[in-house]
Amino acid sequence: MMNVAIYQFDTKWLDPQVNLDKVEKVARQVSGNASMLFLQEMFTTGYTMQPSDVPEWWQVECMERLLSIAGDTGVTIAGSIPYQENGSWTNRMIVLGKEGLQAAYDKIQLFRLAGEADVYSAGEETVAFQSGEWLVRPLICYDLRFPYLSFKSPDAHILFYSANWPQTRITHWQTLLKARAIENQCYVIGVNRTGTDNNGYAYPGKSSVISYSGEVLCEMGPEEGLQTIALSMDALSEYRCKLPFLADRKFIW
């Protein structure tokens, strides 16, 4: 068994101090009861298409503070932030634990309709990280529409989608999370923000945990909130053994 926590909130626009205060409060709250805390996309700033407004020292301070929080609480924290490296910006998922940076993933499928592809560089490879016996593959928002990103060997036990998914297409979010869980026979965790950002987009939350069979184990409402849930490796392994669909996959592209 592994207990995980999901936290959705109304990101304060370009105010990492306020947003990190919220994350720290929640991490301390779940310490001892959850080993991982999953957060939304660009949880320190909001979904900004002007990353040059984000001073580089914010990035450094964010990483240092999250490392401190993870070290103090023993909780591994995962979510995406705008990240600058070698003069280029990416929408980067960071996974930070008490041992330090455990994984980093740059969003591959950039949301062209919002202009994300014009200001951020796309990632080239998916990643996965180990949390005890669990293999976790982190992905970001628009990646959810492209199932090929989840079809990687070895098969992950958990797919995590960190998102800013708008109200206007929330039924797609709910449907695609279930689809990824069913086709990969794994747990899927989707964390979406709440509130309205400075771009004028409204976000309904609806953060969810879906089982390997497509069962919705929890789905949050539109308000800021925290949910902790237990995941069973034994149940997942038994299900995959009983219905060994993954063994029949053929990668033909």
Side-chain angles (χ1 to χ4, degrees):
M1 299 290 288
M2 178 171 70
N3 288 347
V4 299
I6 60 176
Y7 176 47
Q8 63 177 31
F9 62 97
D10 184 356
T11 314
K12 184 69 178 298
W13 190 256
L14 297 185
D15 196 336
Q17 183 67 44
V18 168
N19 298 318
L20 288 170
D21 284 347
K22 289 185 174 185
V23 171
E24 180 170 5
K25 180 180 179 181
V26 167
R28 295 192 182 281
Q29 184 176 337
V30 302
S31 179
N33 190 42
S35 58
M36 295 198 66
L37 173 61
F38 294 99
L39 304 171
Q40 61 218 30
E41 181 182 21
M42 294 197 187
F43 67 90
T44 57
T45 60
Y47 187 59
T48 178
M49 292 302 104
Q50 295 179 306
S52 59
D53 291 343
V54 180
E56 189 171 350
W57 65 266
W58 281 8
Q59 178 177 304
V60 174
E61 186 176 270
C62 170
M63 297 291 284
E64 290 178 349
R65 186 164 179 195
L66 289 170
L67 285 168
S68 176
I69 294 168
D72 290 346
T73 63
V75 176
T76 298
I77 301 169
S80 97
I81 64 172
Y83 196 90
Q84 185 182 42
E85 188 172 48
N86 299 323
S88 179
W89 286 94
T90 59
N91 185 346
R92 177 167 293 186
M93 172 82 70
I94 53 172
V95 182
L96 296 159
K98 60 184 178 181
E99 300 86 5
L101 182 66
Q102 294 187 0
Y105 162 71
D106 293 334
K107 186 176 182 180
I108 291 175
Q109 294 290 350
L110 300 175
F111 189 46
R112 193 174 302 276
L113 287 178
E116 187 178 17
D118 297 328
V119 293
Y120 293 94
S121 297
E124 297 180 350
E125 294 287 341
T126 60
V127 303
F129 66 94
Q130 205 76 31
S131 180
E133 63 179 336
W134 296 82
L135 185 68
V136 184
R137 190 175 308 285
L139 295 160
I140 302 173
C141 203
Y142 194 43
D143 288 338
L144 180 60
R145 289 188 178 273
F146 301 89
Y148 80 94
L149 294 175
S150 64
F151 298 167
K152 295 289 183 177
S153 182
D155 295 300
H157 303 115
I158 299 171
L159 292 173
F160 166 48
Y161 291 92
S162 177
N164 275 206
W165 200 283
Q167 172 67 54
T168 52
R169 292 182 294 279
I170 198 61
T171 56
H172 296 187
W173 164 257
Q174 293 166 303
T175 301
L176 292 171
L177 288 176
K178 285 185 182 182
R180 297 295 88 79
I182 292 168
E183 66 199 5
N184 289 286
Q185 295 185 296
C186 69
Y187 288 102
V188 170
I189 297 172
V191 181
N192 188 36
R193 67 159 290 174
T194 66
T196 301
D197 69 12
N198 277 35
N199 298 313
Y201 299 124
Y203 302 95
K206 295 293 183 180
S207 298
S208 304
V209 179
I210 316 293
S211 82
Y212 41 81
S213 66
E215 178 187 1
V216 179
L217 301 179
C218 76
E219 183 180 69
M220 301 176 74
E223 304 300 327
E224 183 169 318
L226 171 69
Q227 184 79 40
T228 303
I229 191 164
L231 309 181
S232 171
M233 177 66 80
D234 288 343
L236 183 153
S237 298
E238 181 180 348
Y239 186 83
R240 286 181 170 181
C241 184
K242 182 180 179 180
L243 299 169
F245 302 145
L246 297 178
D248 294 329
R249 277 186 174 171
K250 294 180 180 179
F251 299 93
I252 60 174
W253 53 79

